[in-house]
Amino acid sequence: SYELTQPPSVSVSPGQTARITCSGDALPKKYAYWYQQKSGQAPVLVIYEDSKRPSGIPERFSGSSSGTMATLTISGAQVEDEADYYCYSTDSSATYRVFGGGTKLTVL
Amino acid sequence: QVQLVQSGSELKKPGASVKVSCKASGYTFTGYAMSWVRQAPGQGLEWMGWINTNTGNPMYGQGFTGRFVFSLDTSVSTAYLQISSLKTEDTAVYFCGRYSSSSGAFDIWGQGTMVTVSS
């Protein structure tokens, strides 16, 4: 089965840049999506189609993808950005969707 | 406004069945597929599959065939997830999510339904 691999945790100080990676064999051909999930809440889409930002998402959130790795970047991370972040994509046949294991972002 | 509202928490015994609902409002229900996502306690998100709200055709993710059934009632803009022969490992929060084919994203989510399976 297809898998997306994320680091379990990333920690930064407020105002620093946080980078969360997601690796998967199909990412050169398939878009990556990123979701933010705060404790006890539903996920929220923060990046779609590798690098597009939905309306209402702060400009400090950006995404990129190169080869088999997609990256979510939070420039000038804020305390309120503390959350679990999940990448999401499809396998090469676009049959199955999969989430990465999630990355806990700590900002302190 | 566009929203998905799910049914409340459930407590079930092993072997029982449960049906979770997801009511859509603020948009054309049949214009977007509906997906289901599971999150076990302290764990990550798992894509369970989705249902085409035009045709009613479901697609189930790996590990979610057999005991899991997606269904619709388009007259009330509601999607359902039914799980039969419940096991303790089915204890989780179940989310519905609207799938936008234009962006490929789950852009709107329900608040989640906690299903607890315990004897």
Side-chain angles (χ1 to χ4, degrees):
Chain A
S1 61
Y2 185 55
E3 293 185 355
L4 296 172
T5 302
Q6 299 180 233
S9 63
V10 168
S11 183
V12 298
S13 299
Q16 288 188 328
T17 295
R19 294 182 179 85
I20 300 172
T21 59
C22 172
S23 64
D25 289 342
L27 289 178
K29 296 183 178 181
K30 300 300 180 184
Y31 285 125
Y33 300 77
W34 291 93
Y35 292 89
Q36 175 195 68
Q37 187 182 33
K38 295 183 178 180
S39 182
Q41 299 183 18
V44 172
L45 178 68
V46 295
I47 293 291
Y48 67 100
E49 292 182 349
D50 289 344
S51 59
K52 298 178 181 178
R53 196 172 51 249
S55 61
I57 300 301
E59 290 184 6
R60 62 180 180 273
F61 288 87
S62 63
S64 62
S65 187
S66 177
T68 59
M69 185 170 288
T71 303
L72 172 68
T73 300
I74 308 171
S75 303
Q78 307 292 310
V79 173
E80 60 262 33
D81 298 330
E82 272 205 355
D84 294 322
Y85 290 85
Y86 295 91
C87 63
Y88 159 87
S89 188
T90 73
D91 67 344
S92 56
S93 65
T95 301
Y96 296 108
R97 273 56 179 170
V98 63
F99 288 95
T103 298
K104 181 176 182 60
L105 174 65
T106 302
V107 183
L108 53 72
Chain B
Q1 75 277 25
V2 176
Q3 63 178 353
L4 300 174
V5 178
Q6 298 185 225
S7 48
S9 299
E10 300 270 9
L11 174 61
K12 296 291 184 180
K13 294 189 183 300
S17 295
V18 69
K19 194 170 188 177
V20 176
S21 67
C22 171
K23 183 172 177 58
S25 61
Y27 71 95
T28 301
F29 181 68
T30 52
Y32 299 80
M34 192 69 74
S35 194
W36 291 93
V37 173
R38 181 173 78 179
Q39 188 168 38
Q43 302 301 308
L45 304 174
E46 287 182 275
W47 181 73
M48 300 176 66
W50 57 21
I51 185 165
N52 183 316
T53 53
N54 266 311
T55 65
N57 183 41
M59 172 177 281
Y60 298 98
Q62 293 175 325
F64 295 101
T65 54
R67 298 188 298 115
F68 300 85
V69 176
F70 306 148
S71 61
L72 305 169
D73 184 342
T74 56
S75 68
V76 290
S77 299
T78 300
Y80 300 94
L81 163 65
Q82 183 162 357
I83 310 172
S84 58
S85 301
L86 282 163
K87 306 175 181 181
T88 55
E89 52 263 42
D90 293 323
T91 295
V93 176
Y94 292 86
F95 292 99
C96 60
R98 187 182 81 164
Y99 176 76
S100 170
S101 58
S102 62
S103 68
F106 307 129
D107 60 352
I108 303 293
W109 294 69
Q111 82 275 20
T113 296
M114 181 71 207
V115 174
T116 303
V117 184
S118 174
S119 54

